[in-house]
Amino acid sequence: MAREPDVVRAELVGNVLDVLAVTGRTVAPGEPLVLLESMKMEIPVSSERGGTVAQVAVSVGDVVQEGDVLVVLS
């Protein structure tokens, strides 16, 4: 049975400081995928599940809103 994709979303409004996820790479649960900056704080964003990065939806310098898709894992 195929696994449903895991969508990693922004939990707050912020600027994308770094994108650590690379399409096609396997990541472990809890591994940082994107680094956001909000209110002068750096916030690493990770997934609760591991998987393979299917899509990276943001780039360094992007401004994200709460709920925006950052990374999709398969």
Side-chain angles (χ1 to χ4, degrees):
M1 181 176 237
R3 181 175 155 183
E4 290 294 317
D6 185 18
V7 178
V8 179
R9 297 181 182 273
E11 294 183 7
L12 46 78
V13 176
N15 298 313
V16 178
L17 284 182
D18 199 4
V19 178
L20 308 168
V22 176
T23 303
R25 193 180 78 172
T26 301
V27 295
E31 183 176 337
L33 302 174
V34 176
L35 184 62
L36 298 179
E37 183 272 329
S38 181
M39 297 173 59
K40 299 187 182 183
M41 293 177 43
E42 293 184 7
I43 299 113
V45 180
S46 59
S47 173
E48 292 180 10
R49 299 185 340 193
T52 302
V53 178
Q55 177 187 4
V56 178
V58 293
S59 299
V60 172
D62 287 352
V63 176
V64 296
Q65 303 297 315
E66 184 176 343
D68 283 358
V69 174
L70 303 176
V71 176
V72 178
L73 300 177
S74 60

